[in-house]
Amino acid sequence: MYIHSLKFSCSKSYEDFPCSHRQWRHEGHCRFVHGYSRSFTFWFTAKKLDLNGFVVDFSSLKPLENRLKEQFDHTFLINKDDPLLNYWEKLHDLDALDLRIMDNVGMEFTSELIWRWANEYLQDKDKGRTCCWKTESKENKSNKDLRRTGLVTLFTGIGLAALGEFGLSLDILFGVGLLVMFIGIGQMIAGYIYPNQPDEITDVVEGYEKK
C-alpha cells in the first residue's frame, strides 16, 4: 500500500533485540555465527489524522512490537537454504537455541519483512487510512552492545561445544562451539578497547589529560 501525500507523517523506533545469525554463503567472517542487538524504525503516513490528531496511535502498535520480539528477541536466525539447517533444527529441538528460519537474515530482507508486517497490521486496523512507507533495520554498533552480545555469543559457543562433546558426540559441532566462543571473546575485548559511549570517551580523555 502507498499513500502519495506525506503531509501527515511520524516514526516509531524499537531498540535492543539481541539475536544471532550467520550468512553461510559469505566468504568472510559473516559465515560464522555472530550476534548483534537489532533496532527497527518505522515511518508512517496517513490520508487524514484520527480523532485524537494522530497519524498512528503508538499505544496501538503493541501487536507489531510483540511480533518483533517473537522473531528477534534472543533468537537464532538462519537462512532457509543453510546447509547446516538440520543441525540447527536439532539444537532447537534440544532447547539449545530458539530457531527462526528466514528467506534471508540480512538487514535489507529484514526491513522488507517488517515493512510487510506493519502494513498488514495497519490495513487490518485502519482500513487504508494509514500505511508504513519506510522501514529501517540496523545492527547496534555501540561497544556496550558489543560487550553484552559478546557475552551472549560466548555462552552460546560454550553450549554448542558442550552439546557436541557430551550430547551428540559430533566433532563438527564441538568445533563450531569453540569458534563461536572465540568470536564472543573477541567482541567483548573490542568493546573494552574501543569505547565510544559519551561517558566512556570522557573518562578516557580525562585520564589522558591527567598524565
PDB file of all heavy atoms in Angstrom, residues 117-139:
ATOM      1  N   TRP A 117       4.913  -6.654   7.587  1.00  0.00           N
ATOM      2  CA  TRP A 117       4.189  -6.854   8.840  1.00  0.00           C
ATOM      3  C   TRP A 117       3.407  -5.602   9.228  1.00  0.00           C
ATOM      4  O   TRP A 117       2.239  -5.677   9.612  1.00  0.00           O
ATOM      5  CB  TRP A 117       5.164  -7.190   9.962  1.00  0.00           C
ATOM      6  CG  TRP A 117       5.759  -8.552   9.888  1.00  0.00           C
ATOM      7  CD1 TRP A 117       5.455  -9.554   9.007  1.00  0.00           C
ATOM      8  CD2 TRP A 117       6.775  -9.072  10.734  1.00  0.00           C
ATOM      9  NE1 TRP A 117       6.222 -10.658   9.253  1.00  0.00           N
ATOM     10  CE2 TRP A 117       7.041 -10.396  10.309  1.00  0.00           C
ATOM     11  CE3 TRP A 117       7.492  -8.553  11.802  1.00  0.00           C
ATOM     12  CZ2 TRP A 117       7.987 -11.198  10.930  1.00  0.00           C
ATOM     13  CZ3 TRP A 117       8.436  -9.351  12.439  1.00  0.00           C
ATOM     14  CH2 TRP A 117       8.691 -10.658  12.002  1.00  0.00           C
ATOM     15  N   ALA A 118       4.091  -4.440   9.164  1.00  0.00           N
ATOM     16  CA  ALA A 118       3.464  -3.187   9.567  1.00  0.00           C
ATOM     17  C   ALA A 118       2.248  -2.872   8.702  1.00  0.00           C
ATOM     18  O   ALA A 118       1.184  -2.487   9.211  1.00  0.00           O
ATOM     19  CB  ALA A 118       4.482  -2.051   9.507  1.00  0.00           C
ATOM     20  N   ASN A 119       2.382  -3.044   7.392  1.00  0.00           N
ATOM     21  CA  ASN A 119       1.275  -2.699   6.505  1.00  0.00           C
ATOM     22  C   ASN A 119       0.124  -3.701   6.574  1.00  0.00           C
ATOM     23  O   ASN A 119      -1.041  -3.317   6.425  1.00  0.00           O
ATOM     24  CB  ASN A 119       1.787  -2.546   5.072  1.00  0.00           C
ATOM     25  CG  ASN A 119       2.458  -1.208   4.843  1.00  0.00           C
ATOM     26  OD1 ASN A 119       1.850  -0.164   5.043  1.00  0.00           O
ATOM     27  ND2 ASN A 119       3.720  -1.235   4.444  1.00  0.00           N
ATOM     28  N   GLU A 120       0.434  -4.945   6.825  1.00  0.00           N
ATOM     29  CA  GLU A 120      -0.640  -5.919   7.046  1.00  0.00           C
ATOM     30  C   GLU A 120      -1.453  -5.532   8.278  1.00  0.00           C
ATOM     31  O   GLU A 120      -2.693  -5.568   8.270  1.00  0.00           O
ATOM     32  CB  GLU A 120      -0.057  -7.322   7.225  1.00  0.00           C
ATOM     33  CG  GLU A 120       0.495  -7.936   5.956  1.00  0.00           C
ATOM     34  CD  GLU A 120       1.303  -9.192   6.232  1.00  0.00           C
ATOM     35  OE1 GLU A 120       1.381  -9.598   7.428  1.00  0.00           O
ATOM     36  OE2 GLU A 120       1.868  -9.769   5.279  1.00  0.00           O
ATOM     37  N   TYR A 121      -0.749  -5.123   9.341  1.00  0.00           N
ATOM     38  CA  TYR A 121      -1.427  -4.744  10.570  1.00  0.00           C
ATOM     39  C   TYR A 121      -2.237  -3.462  10.392  1.00  0.00           C
ATOM     40  O   TYR A 121      -3.399  -3.379  10.802  1.00  0.00           O
ATOM     41  CB  TYR A 121      -0.413  -4.578  11.699  1.00  0.00           C
ATOM     42  CG  TYR A 121      -1.022  -4.052  12.972  1.00  0.00           C
ATOM     43  CD1 TYR A 121      -1.883  -4.840  13.723  1.00  0.00           C
ATOM     44  CD2 TYR A 121      -0.744  -2.762  13.415  1.00  0.00           C
ATOM     45  CE1 TYR A 121      -2.459  -4.359  14.888  1.00  0.00           C
ATOM     46  CE2 TYR A 121      -1.318  -2.269  14.573  1.00  0.00           C
ATOM     47  CZ  TYR A 121      -2.178  -3.073  15.308  1.00  0.00           C
ATOM     48  OH  TYR A 121      -2.750  -2.579  16.456  1.00  0.00           O
ATOM     49  N   LEU A 122      -1.636  -2.452   9.763  1.00  0.00           N
ATOM     50  CA  LEU A 122      -2.321  -1.173   9.588  1.00  0.00           C
ATOM     51  C   LEU A 122      -3.527  -1.297   8.660  1.00  0.00           C
ATOM     52  O   LEU A 122      -4.553  -0.646   8.868  1.00  0.00           O
ATOM     53  CB  LEU A 122      -1.346  -0.122   9.055  1.00  0.00           C
ATOM     54  CG  LEU A 122      -0.246   0.326  10.011  1.00  0.00           C
ATOM     55  CD1 LEU A 122       0.726   1.252   9.302  1.00  0.00           C
ATOM     56  CD2 LEU A 122      -0.832   1.019  11.242  1.00  0.00           C
ATOM     57  N   GLN A 123      -3.397  -2.099   7.618  1.00  0.00           N
ATOM     58  CA  GLN A 123      -4.518  -2.284   6.701  1.00  0.00           C
ATOM     59  C   GLN A 123      -5.699  -2.908   7.428  1.00  0.00           C
ATOM     60  O   GLN A 123      -6.857  -2.514   7.233  1.00  0.00           O
ATOM     61  CB  GLN A 123      -4.097  -3.165   5.517  1.00  0.00           C
ATOM     62  CG  GLN A 123      -5.189  -3.446   4.519  1.00  0.00           C
ATOM     63  CD  GLN A 123      -5.727  -2.191   3.831  1.00  0.00           C
ATOM     64  OE1 GLN A 123      -5.008  -1.211   3.681  1.00  0.00           O
ATOM     65  NE2 GLN A 123      -6.988  -2.228   3.424  1.00  0.00           N
ATOM     66  N   ASP A 124      -5.409  -3.865   8.288  1.00  0.00           N
ATOM     67  CA  ASP A 124      -6.468  -4.516   9.037  1.00  0.00           C
ATOM     68  C   ASP A 124      -7.075  -3.568  10.070  1.00  0.00           C
ATOM     69  O   ASP A 124      -8.287  -3.572  10.288  1.00  0.00           O
ATOM     70  CB  ASP A 124      -5.918  -5.768   9.724  1.00  0.00           C
ATOM     71  CG  ASP A 124      -6.995  -6.520  10.485  1.00  0.00           C
ATOM     72  OD1 ASP A 124      -7.931  -7.026   9.848  1.00  0.00           O
ATOM     73  OD2 ASP A 124      -6.895  -6.588  11.733  1.00  0.00           O
ATOM     74  N   LYS A 125      -6.242  -2.722  10.683  1.00  0.00           N
ATOM     75  CA  LYS A 125      -6.708  -1.840  11.754  1.00  0.00           C
ATOM     76  C   LYS A 125      -7.352  -0.565  11.232  1.00  0.00           C
ATOM     77  O   LYS A 125      -8.414  -0.152  11.705  1.00  0.00           O
ATOM     78  CB  LYS A 125      -5.531  -1.471  12.686  1.00  0.00           C
ATOM     79  CG  LYS A 125      -5.932  -0.641  13.903  1.00  0.00           C
ATOM     80  CD  LYS A 125      -4.743  -0.385  14.819  1.00  0.00           C
ATOM     81  CE  LYS A 125      -3.839   0.706  14.283  1.00  0.00           C
ATOM     82  NZ  LYS A 125      -4.494   2.050  14.375  1.00  0.00           N
ATOM     83  N   ASP A 126      -6.711   0.091  10.251  1.00  0.00           N
ATOM     84  CA  ASP A 126      -7.155   1.415   9.805  1.00  0.00           C
ATOM     85  C   ASP A 126      -7.860   1.407   8.451  1.00  0.00           C
ATOM     86  O   ASP A 126      -8.308   2.458   7.983  1.00  0.00           O
ATOM     87  CB  ASP A 126      -5.956   2.373   9.748  1.00  0.00           C
ATOM     88  CG  ASP A 126      -5.414   2.678  11.137  1.00  0.00           C
ATOM     89  OD1 ASP A 126      -6.184   2.592  12.106  1.00  0.00           O
ATOM     90  OD2 ASP A 126      -4.217   3.019  11.241  1.00  0.00           O
ATOM     91  N   LYS A 127      -7.916   0.260   7.796  1.00  0.00           N
ATOM     92  CA  LYS A 127      -8.671   0.104   6.555  1.00  0.00           C
ATOM     93  C   LYS A 127      -8.245   1.089   5.457  1.00  0.00           C
ATOM     94  O   LYS A 127      -9.071   1.643   4.733  1.00  0.00           O
ATOM     95  CB  LYS A 127     -10.172   0.268   6.819  1.00  0.00           C
ATOM     96  CG  LYS A 127     -10.716  -0.562   7.965  1.00  0.00           C
ATOM     97  CD  LYS A 127     -10.436  -2.043   7.791  1.00  0.00           C
ATOM     98  CE  LYS A 127     -11.002  -2.834   8.968  1.00  0.00           C
ATOM     99  NZ  LYS A 127     -10.632  -4.277   8.893  1.00  0.00           N
ATOM    100  N   GLY A 128      -6.945   1.346   5.348  1.00  0.00           N
ATOM    101  CA  GLY A 128      -6.439   2.188   4.267  1.00  0.00           C
ATOM    102  C   GLY A 128      -6.161   3.625   4.655  1.00  0.00           C
ATOM    103  O   GLY A 128      -5.650   4.384   3.822  1.00  0.00           O
ATOM    104  N   ARG A 129      -6.495   4.038   5.872  1.00  0.00           N
ATOM    105  CA  ARG A 129      -6.223   5.423   6.291  1.00  0.00           C
ATOM    106  C   ARG A 129      -4.730   5.671   6.444  1.00  0.00           C
ATOM    107  O   ARG A 129      -4.224   6.762   6.163  1.00  0.00           O
ATOM    108  CB  ARG A 129      -6.925   5.743   7.617  1.00  0.00           C
ATOM    109  CG  ARG A 129      -6.734   7.199   8.094  1.00  0.00           C
ATOM    110  CD  ARG A 129      -7.368   7.431   9.454  1.00  0.00           C
ATOM    111  NE  ARG A 129      -6.685   6.710  10.507  1.00  0.00           N
ATOM    112  CZ  ARG A 129      -5.591   7.154  11.133  1.00  0.00           C
ATOM    113  NH1 ARG A 129      -5.061   8.320  10.799  1.00  0.00           N
ATOM    114  NH2 ARG A 129      -5.034   6.427  12.085  1.00  0.00           N
ATOM    115  N   THR A 130      -3.982   4.662   6.880  1.00  0.00           N
ATOM    116  CA  THR A 130      -2.559   4.800   7.167  1.00  0.00           C
ATOM    117  C   THR A 130      -1.754   3.755   6.414  1.00  0.00           C
ATOM    118  O   THR A 130      -2.291   2.753   5.935  1.00  0.00           O
ATOM    119  CB  THR A 130      -2.283   4.621   8.676  1.00  0.00           C
ATOM    120  OG1 THR A 130      -2.675   3.284   9.056  1.00  0.00           O
ATOM    121  CG2 THR A 130      -3.049   5.635   9.499  1.00  0.00           C
ATOM    122  N   CYS A 131      -0.457   3.991   6.345  1.00  0.00           N
ATOM    123  CA  CYS A 131       0.447   2.967   5.845  1.00  0.00           C
ATOM    124  C   CYS A 131       1.847   3.229   6.404  1.00  0.00           C
ATOM    125  O   CYS A 131       2.151   4.315   6.901  1.00  0.00           O
ATOM    126  CB  CYS A 131       0.484   2.933   4.316  1.00  0.00           C
ATOM    127  SG  CYS A 131       1.470   4.244   3.558  1.00  0.00           S
ATOM    128  N   CYS A 132       2.668   2.213   6.331  1.00  0.00           N
ATOM    129  CA  CYS A 132       4.086   2.353   6.646  1.00  0.00           C
ATOM    130  C   CYS A 132       4.814   2.488   5.314  1.00  0.00           C
ATOM    131  O   CYS A 132       4.794   1.573   4.501  1.00  0.00           O
ATOM    132  CB  CYS A 132       4.579   1.125   7.412  1.00  0.00           C
ATOM    133  SG  CYS A 132       6.355   1.109   7.730  1.00  0.00           S
ATOM    134  N   TRP A 133       5.451   3.640   5.098  1.00  0.00           N
ATOM    135  CA  TRP A 133       6.070   3.879   3.791  1.00  0.00           C
ATOM    136  C   TRP A 133       7.578   3.630   3.799  1.00  0.00           C
ATOM    137  O   TRP A 133       8.206   3.592   2.740  1.00  0.00           O
ATOM    138  CB  TRP A 133       5.785   5.297   3.317  1.00  0.00           C
ATOM    139  CG  TRP A 133       6.346   6.406   4.176  1.00  0.00           C
ATOM    140  CD1 TRP A 133       5.794   6.950   5.290  1.00  0.00           C
ATOM    141  CD2 TRP A 133       7.575   7.116   3.962  1.00  0.00           C
ATOM    142  NE1 TRP A 133       6.587   7.943   5.810  1.00  0.00           N
ATOM    143  CE2 TRP A 133       7.691   8.080   5.004  1.00  0.00           C
ATOM    144  CE3 TRP A 133       8.582   7.046   3.001  1.00  0.00           C
ATOM    145  CZ2 TRP A 133       8.780   8.944   5.106  1.00  0.00           C
ATOM    146  CZ3 TRP A 133       9.664   7.918   3.108  1.00  0.00           C
ATOM    147  CH2 TRP A 133       9.754   8.849   4.143  1.00  0.00           C
ATOM    148  N   LYS A 134       8.144   3.410   4.985  1.00  0.00           N
ATOM    149  CA  LYS A 134       9.586   3.196   5.049  1.00  0.00           C
ATOM    150  C   LYS A 134       9.934   2.464   6.339  1.00  0.00           C
ATOM    151  O   LYS A 134       9.319   2.691   7.378  1.00  0.00           O
ATOM    152  CB  LYS A 134      10.312   4.542   4.998  1.00  0.00           C
ATOM    153  CG  LYS A 134      11.839   4.467   5.109  1.00  0.00           C
ATOM    154  CD  LYS A 134      12.429   5.871   5.086  1.00  0.00           C
ATOM    155  CE  LYS A 134      13.929   5.864   5.298  1.00  0.00           C
ATOM    156  NZ  LYS A 134      14.488   7.246   5.337  1.00  0.00           N
ATOM    157  N   THR A 135      10.914   1.564   6.266  1.00  0.00           N
ATOM    158  CA  THR A 135      11.422   0.893   7.456  1.00  0.00           C
ATOM    159  C   THR A 135      12.949   0.872   7.414  1.00  0.00           C
ATOM    160  O   THR A 135      13.555   0.937   6.343  1.00  0.00           O
ATOM    161  CB  THR A 135      10.916  -0.556   7.565  1.00  0.00           C
ATOM    162  OG1 THR A 135      11.274  -1.275   6.377  1.00  0.00           O
ATOM    163  CG2 THR A 135       9.416  -0.609   7.773  1.00  0.00           C
ATOM    164  N   GLU A 136      13.539   0.761   8.583  1.00  0.00           N
ATOM    165  CA  GLU A 136      14.995   0.638   8.689  1.00  0.00           C
ATOM    166  C   GLU A 136      15.324  -0.410   9.746  1.00  0.00           C
ATOM    167  O   GLU A 136      14.761  -0.405  10.835  1.00  0.00           O
ATOM    168  CB  GLU A 136      15.632   1.968   9.090  1.00  0.00           C
ATOM    169  CG  GLU A 136      17.159   1.884   9.228  1.00  0.00           C
ATOM    170  CD  GLU A 136      17.767   3.189   9.720  1.00  0.00           C
ATOM    171  OE1 GLU A 136      17.408   3.627  10.838  1.00  0.00           O
ATOM    172  OE2 GLU A 136      18.591   3.764   8.997  1.00  0.00           O
ATOM    173  N   SER A 137      16.221  -1.310   9.402  1.00  0.00           N
ATOM    174  CA  SER A 137      16.747  -2.297  10.348  1.00  0.00           C
ATOM    175  C   SER A 137      18.240  -2.079  10.457  1.00  0.00           C
ATOM    176  O   SER A 137      18.928  -1.903   9.454  1.00  0.00           O
ATOM    177  CB  SER A 137      16.478  -3.726   9.846  1.00  0.00           C
ATOM    178  OG  SER A 137      15.113  -3.934   9.611  1.00  0.00           O
ATOM    179  N   LYS A 138      18.743  -2.077  11.664  1.00  0.00           N
ATOM    180  CA  LYS A 138      20.186  -1.868  11.825  1.00  0.00           C
ATOM    181  C   LYS A 138      20.722  -2.671  12.985  1.00  0.00           C
ATOM    182  O   LYS A 138      20.002  -3.040  13.913  1.00  0.00           O
ATOM    183  CB  LYS A 138      20.495  -0.385  12.007  1.00  0.00           C
ATOM    184  CG  LYS A 138      19.884   0.253  13.240  1.00  0.00           C
ATOM    185  CD  LYS A 138      20.227   1.747  13.286  1.00  0.00           C
ATOM    186  CE  LYS A 138      19.614   2.414  14.511  1.00  0.00           C
ATOM    187  NZ  LYS A 138      19.939   3.870  14.559  1.00  0.00           N
ATOM    188  N   GLU A 139      22.018  -2.936  12.902  1.00  0.00           N
ATOM    189  CA  GLU A 139      22.736  -3.627  13.959  1.00  0.00           C
ATOM    190  C   GLU A 139      23.412  -2.587  14.829  1.00  0.00           C
ATOM    191  O   GLU A 139      24.173  -1.759  14.335  1.00  0.00           O
ATOM    192  CB  GLU A 139      23.773  -4.569  13.361  1.00  0.00           C
ATOM    193  CG  GLU A 139      23.166  -5.640  12.458  1.00  0.00           C
ATOM    194  CD  GLU A 139      24.214  -6.350  11.630  1.00  0.00           C
ATOM    195  OE1 GLU A 139      25.313  -5.780  11.474  1.00  0.00           O
ATOM    196  OE2 GLU A 139      23.939  -7.452  11.134  1.00  0.00           O
TER     197      GLU A 139
END
